[in-house]
PDB file of all heavy atoms in Angstrom:
ATOM      1  N   GLY A   1      15.350 -33.369  -3.615  1.00  0.00           N
ATOM      2  CA  GLY A   1      14.161 -34.208  -3.513  1.00  0.00           C
ATOM      3  C   GLY A   1      14.504 -35.651  -3.183  1.00  0.00           C
ATOM      4  O   GLY A   1      15.670 -36.058  -3.178  1.00  0.00           O
ATOM      5  N   ASP A   2      13.456 -36.429  -2.932  1.00  0.00           N
ATOM      6  CA  ASP A   2      13.635 -37.836  -2.557  1.00  0.00           C
ATOM      7  C   ASP A   2      13.801 -38.702  -3.811  1.00  0.00           C
ATOM      8  O   ASP A   2      12.996 -39.601  -4.081  1.00  0.00           O
ATOM      9  CB  ASP A   2      12.471 -38.317  -1.694  1.00  0.00           C
ATOM     10  CG  ASP A   2      11.110 -38.114  -2.358  1.00  0.00           C
ATOM     11  OD1 ASP A   2      11.065 -37.476  -3.440  1.00  0.00           O
ATOM     12  OD2 ASP A   2      10.110 -38.599  -1.808  1.00  0.00           O
ATOM     13  N   LEU A   3      14.860 -38.446  -4.558  1.00  0.00           N
ATOM     14  CA  LEU A   3      15.092 -39.162  -5.813  1.00  0.00           C
ATOM     15  C   LEU A   3      15.443 -40.623  -5.577  1.00  0.00           C
ATOM     16  O   LEU A   3      15.386 -41.432  -6.520  1.00  0.00           O
ATOM     17  CB  LEU A   3      16.207 -38.474  -6.610  1.00  0.00           C
ATOM     18  CG  LEU A   3      15.890 -37.054  -7.097  1.00  0.00           C
ATOM     19  CD1 LEU A   3      17.076 -36.476  -7.857  1.00  0.00           C
ATOM     20  CD2 LEU A   3      14.646 -37.042  -7.972  1.00  0.00           C
ATOM     21  N   HIS A   4      15.800 -40.979  -4.358  1.00  0.00           N
ATOM     22  CA  HIS A   4      16.045 -42.395  -4.067  1.00  0.00           C
ATOM     23  C   HIS A   4      14.760 -43.205  -4.128  1.00  0.00           C
ATOM     24  O   HIS A   4      14.790 -44.442  -4.238  1.00  0.00           O
ATOM     25  CB  HIS A   4      16.682 -42.548  -2.680  1.00  0.00           C
ATOM     26  CG  HIS A   4      15.823 -42.041  -1.561  1.00  0.00           C
ATOM     27  ND1 HIS A   4      15.622 -40.689  -1.324  1.00  0.00           N
ATOM     28  CD2 HIS A   4      15.106 -42.706  -0.613  1.00  0.00           C
ATOM     29  CE1 HIS A   4      14.840 -40.542  -0.267  1.00  0.00           C
ATOM     30  NE2 HIS A   4      14.503 -41.759   0.167  1.00  0.00           N
ATOM     31  N   ILE A   5      13.603 -42.495  -4.079  1.00  0.00           N
ATOM     32  CA  ILE A   5      12.310 -43.169  -4.239  1.00  0.00           C
ATOM     33  C   ILE A   5      11.881 -43.074  -5.705  1.00  0.00           C
ATOM     34  O   ILE A   5      11.758 -44.069  -6.397  1.00  0.00           O
ATOM     35  CB  ILE A   5      11.253 -42.547  -3.310  1.00  0.00           C
ATOM     36  CG1 ILE A   5      11.676 -42.745  -1.844  1.00  0.00           C
ATOM     37  CG2 ILE A   5       9.881 -43.163  -3.565  1.00  0.00           C
ATOM     38  CD1 ILE A   5      10.761 -42.102  -0.849  1.00  0.00           C
ATOM     39  N   ASP A   6      11.650 -41.860  -6.170  1.00  0.00           N
ATOM     40  CA  ASP A   6      11.389 -41.622  -7.591  1.00  0.00           C
ATOM     41  C   ASP A   6      11.438 -40.123  -7.842  1.00  0.00           C
ATOM     42  O   ASP A   6      11.746 -39.336  -6.937  1.00  0.00           O
ATOM     43  CB  ASP A   6      10.051 -42.220  -8.060  1.00  0.00           C
ATOM     44  CG  ASP A   6       8.838 -41.608  -7.358  1.00  0.00           C
ATOM     45  OD1 ASP A   6       8.958 -40.503  -6.794  1.00  0.00           O
ATOM     46  OD2 ASP A   6       7.764 -42.235  -7.364  1.00  0.00           O
ATOM     47  N   ALA A   7      11.142 -39.700  -9.067  1.00  0.00           N
ATOM     48  CA  ALA A   7      11.249 -38.286  -9.449  1.00  0.00           C
ATOM     49  C   ALA A   7       9.947 -37.523  -9.290  1.00  0.00           C
ATOM     50  O   ALA A   7       9.913 -36.303  -9.502  1.00  0.00           O
ATOM     51  CB  ALA A   7      11.724 -38.187 -10.910  1.00  0.00           C
ATOM     52  N   HIS A   8       8.883 -38.211  -8.903  1.00  0.00           N
ATOM     53  CA  HIS A   8       7.553 -37.586  -8.916  1.00  0.00           C
ATOM     54  C   HIS A   8       7.483 -36.338  -8.040  1.00  0.00           C
ATOM     55  O   HIS A   8       7.057 -35.272  -8.495  1.00  0.00           O
ATOM     56  CB  HIS A   8       6.501 -38.604  -8.465  1.00  0.00           C
ATOM     57  CG  HIS A   8       5.099 -38.068  -8.492  1.00  0.00           C
ATOM     58  ND1 HIS A   8       4.230 -38.314  -9.532  1.00  0.00           N
ATOM     59  CD2 HIS A   8       4.413 -37.287  -7.621  1.00  0.00           C
ATOM     60  CE1 HIS A   8       3.076 -37.713  -9.296  1.00  0.00           C
ATOM     61  NE2 HIS A   8       3.161 -37.086  -8.135  1.00  0.00           N
ATOM     62  N   HIS A   9       7.874 -36.464  -6.775  1.00  0.00           N
ATOM     63  CA  HIS A   9       7.751 -35.322  -5.858  1.00  0.00           C
ATOM     64  C   HIS A   9       8.624 -34.155  -6.303  1.00  0.00           C
ATOM     65  O   HIS A   9       8.226 -32.986  -6.202  1.00  0.00           O
ATOM     66  CB  HIS A   9       8.136 -35.746  -4.430  1.00  0.00           C
ATOM     67  CG  HIS A   9       7.158 -36.685  -3.812  1.00  0.00           C
ATOM     68  ND1 HIS A   9       7.545 -37.848  -3.172  1.00  0.00           N
ATOM     69  CD2 HIS A   9       5.807 -36.640  -3.743  1.00  0.00           C
ATOM     70  CE1 HIS A   9       6.465 -38.467  -2.725  1.00  0.00           C
ATOM     71  NE2 HIS A   9       5.399 -37.768  -3.057  1.00  0.00           N
ATOM     72  N   THR A  10       9.820 -34.461  -6.787  1.00  0.00           N
ATOM     73  CA  THR A  10      10.733 -33.396  -7.224  1.00  0.00           C
ATOM     74  C   THR A  10      10.130 -32.598  -8.368  1.00  0.00           C
ATOM     75  O   THR A  10      10.127 -31.353  -8.348  1.00  0.00           O
ATOM     76  CB  THR A  10      12.081 -34.002  -7.662  1.00  0.00           C
ATOM     77  OG1 THR A  10      12.710 -34.590  -6.523  1.00  0.00           O
ATOM     78  CG2 THR A  10      12.997 -32.935  -8.248  1.00  0.00           C
ATOM     79  N   ILE A  11       9.583 -33.287  -9.363  1.00  0.00           N
ATOM     80  CA  ILE A  11       9.030 -32.599 -10.534  1.00  0.00           C
ATOM     81  C   ILE A  11       7.747 -31.863 -10.181  1.00  0.00           C
ATOM     82  O   ILE A  11       7.555 -30.697 -10.548  1.00  0.00           O
ATOM     83  CB  ILE A  11       8.798 -33.611 -11.669  1.00  0.00           C
ATOM     84  CG1 ILE A  11      10.162 -34.121 -12.173  1.00  0.00           C
ATOM     85  CG2 ILE A  11       7.990 -32.995 -12.810  1.00  0.00           C
ATOM     86  CD1 ILE A  11      10.068 -35.278 -13.150  1.00  0.00           C
ATOM     87  N   GLU A  12       6.870 -32.508  -9.430  1.00  0.00           N
ATOM     88  CA  GLU A  12       5.604 -31.868  -9.056  1.00  0.00           C
ATOM     89  C   GLU A  12       5.836 -30.639  -8.191  1.00  0.00           C
ATOM     90  O   GLU A  12       5.302 -29.552  -8.468  1.00  0.00           O
ATOM     91  CB  GLU A  12       4.719 -32.856  -8.312  1.00  0.00           C
ATOM     92  CG  GLU A  12       3.408 -32.237  -7.813  1.00  0.00           C
ATOM     93  CD  GLU A  12       2.594 -33.190  -6.955  1.00  0.00           C
ATOM     94  OE1 GLU A  12       3.204 -34.001  -6.226  1.00  0.00           O
ATOM     95  OE2 GLU A  12       1.360 -33.115  -7.021  1.00  0.00           O
ATOM     96  N   ASP A  13       6.641 -30.773  -7.151  1.00  0.00           N
ATOM     97  CA  ASP A  13       6.831 -29.654  -6.219  1.00  0.00           C
ATOM     98  C   ASP A  13       7.605 -28.512  -6.871  1.00  0.00           C
ATOM     99  O   ASP A  13       7.353 -27.335  -6.570  1.00  0.00           O
ATOM    100  CB  ASP A  13       7.554 -30.137  -4.963  1.00  0.00           C
ATOM    101  CG  ASP A  13       6.677 -31.030  -4.093  1.00  0.00           C
ATOM    102  OD1 ASP A  13       5.529 -31.292  -4.495  1.00  0.00           O
ATOM    103  OD2 ASP A  13       7.144 -31.471  -3.029  1.00  0.00           O
ATOM    104  N   THR A  14       8.536 -28.833  -7.756  1.00  0.00           N
ATOM    105  CA  THR A  14       9.237 -27.772  -8.493  1.00  0.00           C
ATOM    106  C   THR A  14       8.251 -26.965  -9.322  1.00  0.00           C
ATOM    107  O   THR A  14       8.313 -25.731  -9.366  1.00  0.00           O
ATOM    108  CB  THR A  14      10.323 -28.368  -9.400  1.00  0.00           C
ATOM    109  OG1 THR A  14      11.291 -29.049  -8.602  1.00  0.00           O
ATOM    110  CG2 THR A  14      11.018 -27.276 -10.203  1.00  0.00           C
ATOM    111  N   ALA A  15       7.329 -27.633  -9.976  1.00  0.00           N
ATOM    112  CA  ALA A  15       6.314 -26.933 -10.778  1.00  0.00           C
ATOM    113  C   ALA A  15       5.440 -26.046  -9.906  1.00  0.00           C
ATOM    114  O   ALA A  15       5.127 -24.901 -10.281  1.00  0.00           O
ATOM    115  CB  ALA A  15       5.458 -27.950 -11.529  1.00  0.00           C
ATOM    116  N   LEU A  16       5.056 -26.545  -8.744  1.00  0.00           N
ATOM    117  CA  LEU A  16       4.197 -25.758  -7.847  1.00  0.00           C
ATOM    118  C   LEU A  16       4.916 -24.500  -7.368  1.00  0.00           C
ATOM    119  O   LEU A  16       4.331 -23.403  -7.347  1.00  0.00           O
ATOM    120  CB  LEU A  16       3.777 -26.604  -6.646  1.00  0.00           C
ATOM    121  CG  LEU A  16       2.832 -27.781  -6.929  1.00  0.00           C
ATOM    122  CD1 LEU A  16       2.674 -28.652  -5.684  1.00  0.00           C
ATOM    123  CD2 LEU A  16       1.471 -27.285  -7.415  1.00  0.00           C
ATOM    124  N   VAL A  17       6.187 -24.640  -6.993  1.00  0.00           N
ATOM    125  CA  VAL A  17       6.940 -23.483  -6.500  1.00  0.00           C
ATOM    126  C   VAL A  17       7.241 -22.521  -7.637  1.00  0.00           C
ATOM    127  O   VAL A  17       7.143 -21.303  -7.478  1.00  0.00           O
ATOM    128  CB  VAL A  17       8.244 -23.946  -5.807  1.00  0.00           C
ATOM    129  CG1 VAL A  17       9.081 -22.736  -5.377  1.00  0.00           C
ATOM    130  CG2 VAL A  17       7.918 -24.798  -4.595  1.00  0.00           C
ATOM    131  N   LEU A  18       7.583 -23.042  -8.810  1.00  0.00           N
ATOM    132  CA  LEU A  18       7.859 -22.176  -9.955  1.00  0.00           C
ATOM    133  C   LEU A  18       6.623 -21.368 -10.344  1.00  0.00           C
ATOM    134  O   LEU A  18       6.714 -20.160 -10.602  1.00  0.00           O
ATOM    135  CB  LEU A  18       8.334 -23.007 -11.144  1.00  0.00           C
ATOM    136  CG  LEU A  18       8.630 -22.237 -12.430  1.00  0.00           C
ATOM    137  CD1 LEU A  18       9.711 -21.186 -12.210  1.00  0.00           C
ATOM    138  CD2 LEU A  18       9.035 -23.201 -13.550  1.00  0.00           C
ATOM    139  N   GLY A  19       5.471 -22.011 -10.361  1.00  0.00           N
ATOM    140  CA  GLY A  19       4.236 -21.281 -10.663  1.00  0.00           C
ATOM    141  C   GLY A  19       3.958 -20.188  -9.657  1.00  0.00           C
ATOM    142  O   GLY A  19       3.588 -19.066 -10.017  1.00  0.00           O
ATOM    143  N   SER A  20       4.180 -20.483  -8.368  1.00  0.00           N
ATOM    144  CA  SER A  20       3.968 -19.469  -7.324  1.00  0.00           C
ATOM    145  C   SER A  20       4.936 -18.308  -7.480  1.00  0.00           C
ATOM    146  O   SER A  20       4.564 -17.141  -7.293  1.00  0.00           O
ATOM    147  CB  SER A  20       4.149 -20.107  -5.938  1.00  0.00           C
ATOM    148  OG  SER A  20       3.181 -21.107  -5.698  1.00  0.00           O
ATOM    149  N   ALA A  21       6.202 -18.613  -7.827  1.00  0.00           N
ATOM    150  CA  ALA A  21       7.209 -17.559  -7.969  1.00  0.00           C
ATOM    151  C   ALA A  21       6.906 -16.651  -9.154  1.00  0.00           C
ATOM    152  O   ALA A  21       7.016 -15.426  -9.063  1.00  0.00           O
ATOM    153  CB  ALA A  21       8.595 -18.184  -8.116  1.00  0.00           C
ATOM    154  N   ILE A  22       6.520 -17.246 -10.286  1.00  0.00           N
ATOM    155  CA  ILE A  22       6.184 -16.420 -11.454  1.00  0.00           C
ATOM    156  C   ILE A  22       4.964 -15.557 -11.164  1.00  0.00           C
ATOM    157  O   ILE A  22       4.926 -14.368 -11.501  1.00  0.00           O
ATOM    158  CB  ILE A  22       5.955 -17.303 -12.689  1.00  0.00           C
ATOM    159  CG1 ILE A  22       7.250 -18.017 -13.086  1.00  0.00           C
ATOM    160  CG2 ILE A  22       5.442 -16.468 -13.861  1.00  0.00           C
ATOM    161  CD1 ILE A  22       7.079 -19.020 -14.210  1.00  0.00           C
ATOM    162  N   LYS A  23       3.972 -16.140 -10.528  1.00  0.00           N
ATOM    163  CA  LYS A  23       2.769 -15.369 -10.184  1.00  0.00           C
ATOM    164  C   LYS A  23       3.101 -14.206  -9.266  1.00  0.00           C
ATOM    165  O   LYS A  23       2.628 -13.073  -9.456  1.00  0.00           O
ATOM    166  CB  LYS A  23       1.740 -16.281  -9.524  1.00  0.00           C
ATOM    167  CG  LYS A  23       0.445 -15.565  -9.146  1.00  0.00           C
ATOM    168  CD  LYS A  23      -0.544 -16.521  -8.505  1.00  0.00           C
ATOM    169  CE  LYS A  23      -1.841 -15.795  -8.134  1.00  0.00           C
ATOM    170  NZ  LYS A  23      -2.811 -16.724  -7.500  1.00  0.00           N
ATOM    171  N   LYS A  24       3.941 -14.454  -8.269  1.00  0.00           N
ATOM    172  CA  LYS A  24       4.328 -13.393  -7.330  1.00  0.00           C
ATOM    173  C   LYS A  24       5.128 -12.308  -8.044  1.00  0.00           C
ATOM    174  O   LYS A  24       4.939 -11.115  -7.804  1.00  0.00           O
ATOM    175  CB  LYS A  24       5.132 -13.988  -6.181  1.00  0.00           C
ATOM    176  CG  LYS A  24       5.456 -13.008  -5.064  1.00  0.00           C
ATOM    177  CD  LYS A  24       6.158 -13.718  -3.908  1.00  0.00           C
ATOM    178  CE  LYS A  24       6.470 -12.734  -2.787  1.00  0.00           C
ATOM    179  NZ  LYS A  24       7.182 -13.400  -1.660  1.00  0.00           N
ATOM    180  N   ALA A  25       6.023 -12.718  -8.947  1.00  0.00           N
ATOM    181  CA  ALA A  25       6.835 -11.741  -9.671  1.00  0.00           C
ATOM    182  C   ALA A  25       5.990 -10.896 -10.619  1.00  0.00           C
ATOM    183  O   ALA A  25       6.281  -9.717 -10.839  1.00  0.00           O
ATOM    184  CB  ALA A  25       7.934 -12.457 -10.455  1.00  0.00           C
ATOM    185  N   LEU A  26       4.943 -11.470 -11.165  1.00  0.00           N
ATOM    186  CA  LEU A  26       4.075 -10.731 -12.085  1.00  0.00           C
ATOM    187  C   LEU A  26       3.276  -9.644 -11.366  1.00  0.00           C
ATOM    188  O   LEU A  26       2.886  -8.652 -11.978  1.00  0.00           O
ATOM    189  CB  LEU A  26       3.101 -11.683 -12.782  1.00  0.00           C
ATOM    190  CG  LEU A  26       3.699 -12.550 -13.887  1.00  0.00           C
ATOM    191  CD1 LEU A  26       2.701 -13.616 -14.321  1.00  0.00           C
ATOM    192  CD2 LEU A  26       4.108 -11.698 -15.074  1.00  0.00           C
ATOM    193  N   GLY A  27       3.036  -9.808 -10.082  1.00  0.00           N
ATOM    194  CA  GLY A  27       2.306  -8.797  -9.319  1.00  0.00           C
ATOM    195  C   GLY A  27       0.915  -8.578  -9.877  1.00  0.00           C
ATOM    196  O   GLY A  27       0.130  -9.510 -10.038  1.00  0.00           O
ATOM    197  N   ASP A  28       0.617  -7.325 -10.233  1.00  0.00           N
ATOM    198  CA  ASP A  28      -0.714  -7.020 -10.771  1.00  0.00           C
ATOM    199  C   ASP A  28      -0.786  -7.234 -12.282  1.00  0.00           C
ATOM    200  O   ASP A  28      -1.786  -6.894 -12.912  1.00  0.00           O
ATOM    201  CB  ASP A  28      -1.120  -5.577 -10.421  1.00  0.00           C
ATOM    202  CG  ASP A  28      -0.144  -4.548 -10.979  1.00  0.00           C
ATOM    203  OD1 ASP A  28       0.771  -4.935 -11.746  1.00  0.00           O
ATOM    204  OD2 ASP A  28      -0.281  -3.357 -10.640  1.00  0.00           O
ATOM    205  N   LYS A  29       0.265  -7.802 -12.857  1.00  0.00           N
ATOM    206  CA  LYS A  29       0.340  -8.143 -14.289  1.00  0.00           C
ATOM    207  C   LYS A  29       0.224  -6.925 -15.194  1.00  0.00           C
ATOM    208  O   LYS A  29      -0.162  -7.022 -16.347  1.00  0.00           O
ATOM    209  CB  LYS A  29      -0.719  -9.195 -14.647  1.00  0.00           C
ATOM    210  CG  LYS A  29      -0.520 -10.518 -13.940  1.00  0.00           C
ATOM    211  CD  LYS A  29      -1.501 -11.574 -14.397  1.00  0.00           C
ATOM    212  CE  LYS A  29      -2.843 -11.422 -13.721  1.00  0.00           C
ATOM    213  NZ  LYS A  29      -3.725 -12.574 -13.991  1.00  0.00           N
ATOM    214  N   LYS A  30       0.594  -5.774 -14.651  1.00  0.00           N
ATOM    215  CA  LYS A  30       0.522  -4.540 -15.418  1.00  0.00           C
ATOM    216  C   LYS A  30       1.451  -4.604 -16.630  1.00  0.00           C
ATOM    217  O   LYS A  30       2.600  -5.011 -16.524  1.00  0.00           O
ATOM    218  CB  LYS A  30       0.913  -3.349 -14.532  1.00  0.00           C
ATOM    219  CG  LYS A  30       0.809  -1.998 -15.225  1.00  0.00           C
ATOM    220  CD  LYS A  30       1.174  -0.881 -14.253  1.00  0.00           C
ATOM    221  CE  LYS A  30       1.069   0.480 -14.922  1.00  0.00           C
ATOM    222  NZ  LYS A  30       1.421   1.581 -13.985  1.00  0.00           N
ATOM    223  N   GLY A  31       0.949  -4.218 -17.786  1.00  0.00           N
ATOM    224  CA  GLY A  31       1.762  -4.158 -18.990  1.00  0.00           C
ATOM    225  C   GLY A  31       1.745  -5.414 -19.833  1.00  0.00           C
ATOM    226  O   GLY A  31       2.319  -5.443 -20.915  1.00  0.00           O
ATOM    227  N   ILE A  32       1.093  -6.477 -19.354  1.00  0.00           N
ATOM    228  CA  ILE A  32       1.050  -7.714 -20.130  1.00  0.00           C
ATOM    229  C   ILE A  32      -0.020  -7.605 -21.211  1.00  0.00           C
ATOM    230  O   ILE A  32      -1.161  -7.248 -20.942  1.00  0.00           O
ATOM    231  CB  ILE A  32       0.753  -8.918 -19.219  1.00  0.00           C
ATOM    232  CG1 ILE A  32       1.925  -9.160 -18.268  1.00  0.00           C
ATOM    233  CG2 ILE A  32       0.483 -10.167 -20.051  1.00  0.00           C
ATOM    234  CD1 ILE A  32       1.691 -10.313 -17.322  1.00  0.00           C
ATOM    235  N   ALA A  33       0.378  -7.898 -22.455  1.00  0.00           N
ATOM    236  CA  ALA A  33      -0.585  -7.985 -23.550  1.00  0.00           C
ATOM    237  C   ALA A  33      -1.062  -9.436 -23.632  1.00  0.00           C
ATOM    238  O   ALA A  33      -0.282 -10.330 -23.959  1.00  0.00           O
ATOM    239  CB  ALA A  33       0.060  -7.549 -24.860  1.00  0.00           C
ATOM    240  N   ARG A  34      -2.305  -9.677 -23.327  1.00  0.00           N
ATOM    241  CA  ARG A  34      -2.779 -11.054 -23.171  1.00  0.00           C
ATOM    242  C   ARG A  34      -3.054 -11.743 -24.505  1.00  0.00           C
ATOM    243  O   ARG A  34      -3.129 -12.950 -24.570  1.00  0.00           O
ATOM    244  CB  ARG A  34      -4.041 -11.062 -22.311  1.00  0.00           C
ATOM    245  CG  ARG A  34      -3.772 -10.692 -20.864  1.00  0.00           C
ATOM    246  CD  ARG A  34      -5.057 -10.620 -20.071  1.00  0.00           C
ATOM    247  NE  ARG A  34      -5.743 -11.905 -20.019  1.00  0.00           N
ATOM    248  CZ  ARG A  34      -6.960 -12.050 -19.526  1.00  0.00           C
ATOM    249  NH1 ARG A  34      -7.635 -11.005 -19.087  1.00  0.00           N
ATOM    250  NH2 ARG A  34      -7.527 -13.244 -19.505  1.00  0.00           N
ATOM    251  N   PHE A  35      -3.218 -11.025 -25.573  1.00  0.00           N
ATOM    252  CA  PHE A  35      -3.524 -11.624 -26.877  1.00  0.00           C
ATOM    253  C   PHE A  35      -2.742 -10.851 -27.938  1.00  0.00           C
ATOM    254  O   PHE A  35      -2.900  -9.622 -27.990  1.00  0.00           O
ATOM    255  CB  PHE A  35      -5.010 -11.487 -27.200  1.00  0.00           C
ATOM    256  CG  PHE A  35      -5.937 -11.854 -26.095  1.00  0.00           C
ATOM    257  CD1 PHE A  35      -6.441 -10.886 -25.240  1.00  0.00           C
ATOM    258  CD2 PHE A  35      -6.298 -13.168 -25.870  1.00  0.00           C
ATOM    259  CE1 PHE A  35      -7.297 -11.212 -24.203  1.00  0.00           C
ATOM    260  CE2 PHE A  35      -7.161 -13.510 -24.839  1.00  0.00           C
ATOM    261  CZ  PHE A  35      -7.662 -12.537 -24.008  1.00  0.00           C
ATOM    262  N   GLY A  36      -1.924 -11.513 -28.783  1.00  0.00           N
ATOM    263  CA  GLY A  36      -1.304 -12.746 -28.772  1.00  0.00           C
ATOM    264  C   GLY A  36      -0.254 -12.684 -29.872  1.00  0.00           C
ATOM    265  O   GLY A  36      -0.106 -11.718 -30.592  1.00  0.00           O
ATOM    266  N   PHE A  37       0.505 -13.700 -30.101  1.00  0.00           N
ATOM    267  CA  PHE A  37       1.505 -13.749 -31.159  1.00  0.00           C
ATOM    268  C   PHE A  37       1.646 -15.178 -31.658  1.00  0.00           C
ATOM    269  O   PHE A  37       1.171 -16.121 -31.040  1.00  0.00           O
ATOM    270  CB  PHE A  37       2.857 -13.191 -30.696  1.00  0.00           C
ATOM    271  CG  PHE A  37       3.553 -14.055 -29.687  1.00  0.00           C
ATOM    272  CD1 PHE A  37       4.379 -15.089 -30.088  1.00  0.00           C
ATOM    273  CD2 PHE A  37       3.378 -13.833 -28.330  1.00  0.00           C
ATOM    274  CE1 PHE A  37       5.022 -15.887 -29.167  1.00  0.00           C
ATOM    275  CE2 PHE A  37       4.027 -14.642 -27.404  1.00  0.00           C
ATOM    276  CZ  PHE A  37       4.846 -15.673 -27.824  1.00  0.00           C
ATOM    277  N   VAL A  38       2.332 -15.329 -32.786  1.00  0.00           N
ATOM    278  CA  VAL A  38       2.556 -16.636 -33.384  1.00  0.00           C
ATOM    279  C   VAL A  38       4.047 -16.856 -33.545  1.00  0.00           C
ATOM    280  O   VAL A  38       4.768 -15.958 -33.993  1.00  0.00           O
ATOM    281  CB  VAL A  38       1.862 -16.741 -34.759  1.00  0.00           C
ATOM    282  CG1 VAL A  38       2.193 -18.073 -35.422  1.00  0.00           C
ATOM    283  CG2 VAL A  38       0.358 -16.573 -34.608  1.00  0.00           C
ATOM    284  N   LEU A  39       4.511 -18.035 -33.169  1.00  0.00           N
ATOM    285  CA  LEU A  39       5.933 -18.348 -33.235  1.00  0.00           C
ATOM    286  C   LEU A  39       6.155 -19.542 -34.157  1.00  0.00           C
ATOM    287  O   LEU A  39       5.870 -20.680 -33.787  1.00  0.00           O
ATOM    288  CB  LEU A  39       6.477 -18.664 -31.839  1.00  0.00           C
ATOM    289  CG  LEU A  39       7.921 -19.171 -31.775  1.00  0.00           C
ATOM    290  CD1 LEU A  39       8.889 -18.068 -32.218  1.00  0.00           C
ATOM    291  CD2 LEU A  39       8.267 -19.641 -30.369  1.00  0.00           C
ATOM    292  N   PRO A  40       6.639 -19.327 -35.393  1.00  0.00           N
ATOM    293  CA  PRO A  40       6.963 -20.461 -36.268  1.00  0.00           C
ATOM    294  C   PRO A  40       8.400 -20.919 -36.018  1.00  0.00           C
ATOM    295  O   PRO A  40       9.313 -20.115 -35.932  1.00  0.00           O
ATOM    296  CB  PRO A  40       6.826 -19.865 -37.662  1.00  0.00           C
ATOM    297  CG  PRO A  40       7.132 -18.419 -37.487  1.00  0.00           C
ATOM    298  CD  PRO A  40       6.773 -18.040 -36.075  1.00  0.00           C
ATOM    299  N   MET A  41       8.592 -22.238 -35.879  1.00  0.00           N
ATOM    300  CA  MET A  41       9.929 -22.815 -35.752  1.00  0.00           C
ATOM    301  C   MET A  41      10.068 -23.927 -36.785  1.00  0.00           C
ATOM    302  O   MET A  41       9.062 -24.411 -37.328  1.00  0.00           O
ATOM    303  CB  MET A  41      10.148 -23.346 -34.329  1.00  0.00           C
ATOM    304  CG  MET A  41       9.991 -22.275 -33.253  1.00  0.00           C
ATOM    305  SD  MET A  41      10.112 -22.923 -31.570  1.00  0.00           S
ATOM    306  CE  MET A  41      11.832 -23.378 -31.497  1.00  0.00           C
TER     307      MET A  41
END
């Protein structure tokens, strides 16, 4: 990315591509249980 300017484009565009990749990998989302669990840390 154009980090010589700032980090904005790198972070924004990475998020956009990552979201598209996860969505594509999920396909028809078969097998996903949409509700829900609790994670205590």
Side-chain angles (χ1 to χ4, degrees):
D2 56 353
L3 295 179
H4 61 287
I5 297 176
D6 62 19
H8 182 99
H9 291 132
T10 295
I11 292 171
E12 177 186 34
D13 290 2
T14 298
L16 292 171
V17 176
L18 179 59
S20 297
I22 295 174
K23 181 180 180 180
K24 187 175 180 181
L26 285 170
D28 60 7
K29 297 185 279 189
K30 183 178 180 180
I32 293 179
R34 291 176 62 189
F35 313 95
F37 69 87
V38 176
L39 173 66
M41 301 175 69

